[in-house]
């Protein structure tokens, strides 16, 4: 039988303290985004479509408040999410998930993997939003989320701390991507637990038969309706500036948008990697 040394307990204590301080540090970062939104500051993140932890860590280190993993159009699997979110945290940003659809299973998978914010796609009615938000919160926080140990709560080691913080600190955003959503927007933004809405300009314009025609008078009028309703209800407005353009980003902030996504990793690569003109 191996002899047990008193140093074993010391090593376990040091390891436990390190793990605890690591969790506290991550949780402090985790809850930063919603507090920034409530302070009125513009929160600027970006979009991730490459299923690579290396890309996730690199783009998270570029200074964004959050990095949203695009589970709707990206090629991510459930098994990749913990490593992707871990890489984003290592890079210094908050890991968000734009889930594939506002349904129970993808919401649970993203949160259990460690998402610190959720962006619900294609929200068109208050009933849709009610269900999505309920699936995002534990029963003692007003929701119906399944209770279990996962990476998000360090596999149960700090479950109580995570469960207690979640109701007030998880960032929840509804994407407005259809003209029907604009018609129902007053009901949508009146949900007390919704933090922001984000306009999906391509989908919204497409639903109007004006795909990509962002200067069309009808699209401009729809955007003005969204702005007016959000201001009336005190709701944070958001938009995705898909094509990286600092002037456009600044214009959005001056126009009152406070939750913004800037570019996509795929777009950054395509724009930066174009072969320059070569004399032949």
């Amino acid at each position: 039988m191996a002899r047990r040394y008193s140093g074993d307990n010391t090593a376990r204590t040091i390891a436990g303290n390190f793990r605890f301080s690591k969790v506290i540090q991550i949780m402090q970062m985790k809850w930063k985004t919603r507090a920034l939104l409530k302070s009125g500051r513009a929160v600027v993140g970006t979009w991730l479509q490459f299923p690579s932890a290396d890309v996730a860590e690199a783009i998270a280190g570029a200074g964004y408040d959050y990095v949203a993993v695009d589970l709707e159009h990206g090629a991510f699997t459930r098994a990749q999410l913990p490593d992707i979110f871990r890489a984003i945290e290592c890079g210094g940003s908050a890991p968000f998930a734009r889930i594939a659809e506002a349904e129970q299973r993808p919401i649970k998978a993203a949160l259990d993997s460690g998402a610190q914010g959720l962006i619900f796609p294609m929200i068109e009615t208050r009933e849709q939003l009610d269900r999505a938000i309920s699936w995002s919160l534990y029963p003692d926080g007003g929701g119906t989320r399944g209770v279990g140990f996962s990476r998000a709560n360090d596999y149960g080691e700090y479950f109580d701390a995570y469960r207690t913080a979640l109701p007030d600190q998880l960032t929840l955003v509804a994407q407005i991507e259809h003209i029907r959503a604009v018609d129902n927007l007053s009901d949508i933004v009146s949900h007390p637990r919704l933090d922001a809405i984000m306009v999906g300009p391509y989908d919204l314009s497409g639903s109007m038969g004006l795909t990509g025609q962002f200067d069309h008078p009808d699209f401009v009028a729809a955007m003005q309706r969204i702005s007016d309703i959000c201001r009336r209800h005190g709701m944070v407005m958001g938009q995705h500036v898909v094509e990286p353009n600092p002037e456009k980003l600044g214009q959005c902030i001056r126009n009152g948008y406070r939750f913004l996504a800037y570019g996509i990793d795929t777009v950054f690569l395509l724009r930066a990697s174009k072969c320059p003109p070569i004399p032949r």
Side-chain angles (χ1 to χ4, degrees):
M1 183 175 177
R3 184 178 177 184
R4 185 168 180 165
Y5 292 94
S6 60
D8 294 344
N9 290 328
T10 302
R12 277 197 297 274
T13 300
I14 292 173
N17 289 341
F18 174 78
R19 195 176 182 197
F20 180 75
S21 64
K22 171 175 167 282
V23 170
I24 294 300
Q25 184 181 31
I26 289 173
M27 289 186 72
Q28 287 174 341
M29 180 178 69
K30 178 182 293 187
W31 308 138
K32 183 177 70 172
T33 309
R34 191 166 190 243
L36 290 175
L37 283 176
K38 286 184 170 295
S39 74
R41 208 205 82 173
V43 171
V44 180
T46 191
W47 232 239
L48 190 74
Q49 288 188 328
F50 286 127
S52 164
D54 291 331
V55 173
E57 185 175 9
I59 203 165
Y64 294 101
D65 294 309
Y66 71 92
V67 176
V69 177
D70 185 1
L71 300 177
E72 183 178 10
H73 299 299
F76 300 90
T77 67
R78 169 71 174 84
Q80 290 173 315
L81 290 185
D83 283 341
I84 297 293
F85 290 156
R86 191 177 294 114
I88 292 170
E89 289 174 347
C90 287
S93 292
F96 277 40
R98 196 270 285 272
I99 56 176
E101 53 186 348
E103 296 293 339
Q104 186 175 25
R105 179 171 290 184
I107 289 172
K108 184 189 297 185
L111 288 174
D112 283 353
S113 297
Q116 300 171 7
L118 294 178
I119 301 171
F120 304 122
M122 286 289 179
I123 295 297
E124 297 181 12
T125 68
R126 172 61 183 264
E127 291 73 24
Q128 274 184 293
L129 183 64
D130 287 343
R131 291 193 297 270
I133 291 181
S134 179
W135 288 325
S136 304
L137 301 173
Y138 288 124
D140 54 2
T144 56
R145 177 183 171 188
V147 180
F149 293 168
S150 64
R151 178 186 175 264
N153 53 58
D154 205 14
Y155 307 100
E157 189 73 10
Y158 301 105
F159 177 76
D160 286 339
Y162 175 78
R163 176 182 57 81
T164 302
L166 189 74
D168 294 328
Q169 304 300 338
L170 179 68
T171 304
L172 299 173
V173 179
Q175 283 197 287
I176 304 303
E177 303 180 278
H178 199 285
I179 192 62
R180 287 193 295 268
V182 181
D183 294 336
N184 295 321
L185 192 58
S186 289
D187 287 338
I188 291 171
V189 299
S190 64
H191 194 296
R193 190 51 187 81
L194 184 66
D195 295 309
I197 62 103
M198 172 179 272
V199 177
Y202 282 95
D203 281 314
L204 178 58
S205 61
S207 75
M208 301 171 66
L210 303 168
T211 304
Q213 299 181 48
F214 303 138
D215 293 327
H216 192 283
D218 290 346
F219 181 80
V220 173
M223 292 296 291
Q224 187 60 53
R225 282 181 64 194
I226 293 171
S227 177
D228 291 343
I229 292 170
C230 285
R231 286 196 173 94
R232 191 158 61 244
H233 288 269
M235 177 55 60
V236 173
M237 295 186 297
Q239 189 172 352
H240 192 171
V241 181
V242 176
E243 289 289 339
N245 184 324
E247 292 183 4
K248 173 67 173 176
L249 179 65
Q251 180 184 357
C252 287
I253 294 172
R254 288 191 296 274
N255 289 342
Y257 290 91
R258 289 295 177 266
F259 185 81
L260 296 129
Y262 184 73
I264 309 173
D265 58 347
T266 51
V267 175
F268 288 135
L269 179 63
L270 284 170
R271 299 297 176 267
S273 61
K274 294 290 186 184
C275 182
I278 300 173
R280 301 209 185 257

